[in-house]
């Protein structure tokens, strides 16, 4: 059984009540759900994602452990709030530098981006609660420990979060093919960089919320780069421009 999995109704209930971070909960798909009503109430009250699945799915994750139809995935680290990230920048006397990830589902990509975010001086990373890799032990390992140093906020609505960051004075630059060359773009000042999901790019509403679209110049026959590679190059271009001030 994976190290971040908690199974059984009582154990999962106590995990939720404890306030410790939970990535998601899987519940056996059955009629009524009366016996899980208390858990469902807690999940809804705390905004924790949950999903109804077949018993075979639960068996796969628990490797023979008795799960009583409920399995939780605990986070490797407590999540921050977007306001916490802004406060970190204020305390350092720096313009905010924030990375927003739109549906990055590969844990290795998330870990790699966190590692670069730490190295490039990003104040924090924001991910959505759904359709995104979460802070699992696998992400922690791939990040080479950066997960302990880079605050990660997990939000229900990325569009609303971007609007909030714009109200707080940040300029939002979305990364996608066909945008302004990053080496011609002005990336100084309070900055949010948005990286789209693997093979998906930016969602339509996310793209429309961005203040500008930027892209990497491509000189070969390949038209795109891995999300973590592209994100890393862009983060370091932001850092390079900041260092010039």
């Amino acid at each position: 059984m994976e190290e971040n999995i908690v199974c059984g109704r009582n154990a999962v209930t106590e995990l939720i009540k404890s306030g410790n971070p939970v990535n998601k909960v899987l519940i056996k798909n059955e009629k009524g759900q009366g016996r899980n009503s208390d858990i469902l109430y807690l999940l809804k009250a705390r905004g924790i994602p949950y999903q109804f699945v077949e018993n075979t799915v639960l068996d796969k994750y628990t490797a023979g452990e008795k799960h009583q139809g409920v399995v939780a995935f605990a986070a490797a680290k407590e999540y921050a709030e977007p306001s916490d990230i802004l406060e970190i920048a204020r305390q350092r006397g720096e313009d905010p530098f924030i990375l927003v990830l739109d549906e990055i589902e590969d844990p290795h990509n998330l870990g790699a981006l966190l590692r670069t975010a730490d190295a490039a001086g990003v104040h924090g990373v924001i991910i959505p609660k759904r359709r995104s890799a979460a802070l699992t032990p696998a992400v922690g390992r791939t990040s080479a420990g950066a997960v302990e140093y880079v605050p990660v906020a997990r939000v229900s609505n990325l569009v609303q979060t971007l609007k909030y960051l714009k109200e707080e004075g940040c300029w939002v630059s979305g990364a996608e093919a066909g945008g302004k060359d990053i080496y011609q773009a002005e990336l100084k000042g309070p900055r949010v960089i948005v990286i789209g999901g693997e093979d998906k790019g930016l969602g339509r509403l996310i793209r429309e919320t961005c203040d500008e679209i930027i892209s990497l110049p491509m000189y070969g026959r390949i038209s795109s780069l891995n999300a973590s590679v592209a994100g890393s190059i862009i983060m370091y271009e932001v850092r390079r421009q900041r260092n010039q001030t």
Side-chain angles (χ1 to χ4, degrees):
M1 189 168 68
E2 294 183 22
E3 59 187 288
N4 66 321
I5 286 181
V6 176
C7 56
R9 285 195 298 275
N10 289 337
V12 171
T13 298
E14 292 306 317
L15 172 66
I16 298 169
K17 287 182 176 179
S18 72
N20 290 323
V22 179
N23 288 326
K24 67 177 178 179
V25 174
L26 301 181
I27 301 172
K28 181 181 177 181
N29 190 14
E30 56 188 6
K31 292 182 179 179
Q33 292 294 338
R35 65 174 184 165
N36 295 320
S37 59
D38 290 346
I39 291 177
L40 289 169
Y41 174 81
L42 289 171
L43 292 172
K44 293 174 183 177
R46 287 165 169 74
I48 298 171
Y50 63 91
Q51 182 180 358
F52 296 110
V53 299
E54 297 304 315
N55 201 61
T56 52
V57 176
L58 300 176
D59 291 340
K60 180 184 72 172
Y61 285 115
T62 55
E65 293 275 345
K66 291 184 178 180
H67 51 68
Q68 299 175 304
V70 183
V71 171
F73 295 79
K77 181 191 173 186
E78 185 173 358
Y79 291 100
E81 296 291 336
S83 58
D84 298 331
I85 296 173
L86 291 173
E87 182 59 27
I88 289 170
R90 292 190 187 103
Q91 290 179 358
R92 296 179 183 175
E94 299 172 348
D95 287 332
F97 181 9
I98 300 170
L99 180 68
V100 172
L101 304 178
D102 180 19
E103 298 186 18
I104 297 292
E105 298 182 3
D106 186 335
H108 295 91
N109 276 338
L110 177 56
L113 284 162
L114 287 173
R115 187 173 185 175
T116 304
D118 176 62
V122 171
H123 295 113
V125 176
I126 300 175
I127 61 175
K129 284 187 176 181
R130 300 185 184 277
R131 295 184 296 278
S132 171
L135 292 184
T136 63
V139 170
R141 289 190 293 271
T142 306
S143 76
V147 69
E148 298 298 331
Y149 305 109
V150 180
V152 178
R154 196 173 184 226
V155 300
S156 299
N157 190 313
L158 276 185
V159 171
Q160 292 301 319
T161 300
L162 290 176
K163 290 179 179 178
Y164 162 72
L165 294 173
K166 291 169 72 169
E167 290 171 356
E168 291 295 315
C170 294
W171 187 264
V172 179
S173 302
E176 191 167 73
K180 184 187 301 182
D181 187 322
I182 66 164
Y183 300 115
Q184 304 299 321
E186 171 64 62
L187 299 176
K188 299 175 184 177
R191 182 69 44 177
V192 177
I193 300 295
V194 188
I195 305 296
E198 304 91 350
D199 302 322
K200 297 178 183 178
L202 300 174
R204 180 181 61 83
L205 293 177
I206 296 290
R207 187 186 310 109
E208 292 174 356
T209 307
C210 292
D211 293 305
E212 65 177 352
I213 299 299
I214 58 175
S215 62
L216 293 168
M218 304 294 291
Y219 301 105
R221 298 182 181 181
I222 302 300
S223 61
S224 63
L225 293 174
N226 171 277
S228 64
V229 173
S232 297
I233 295 171
I234 293 170
M235 281 187 274
Y236 262 97
E237 175 58 17
V238 175
R239 172 49 55 193
R240 185 190 70 82
Q241 293 192 21
R242 286 188 169 217
N243 288 348
Q244 291 179 336
T245 59

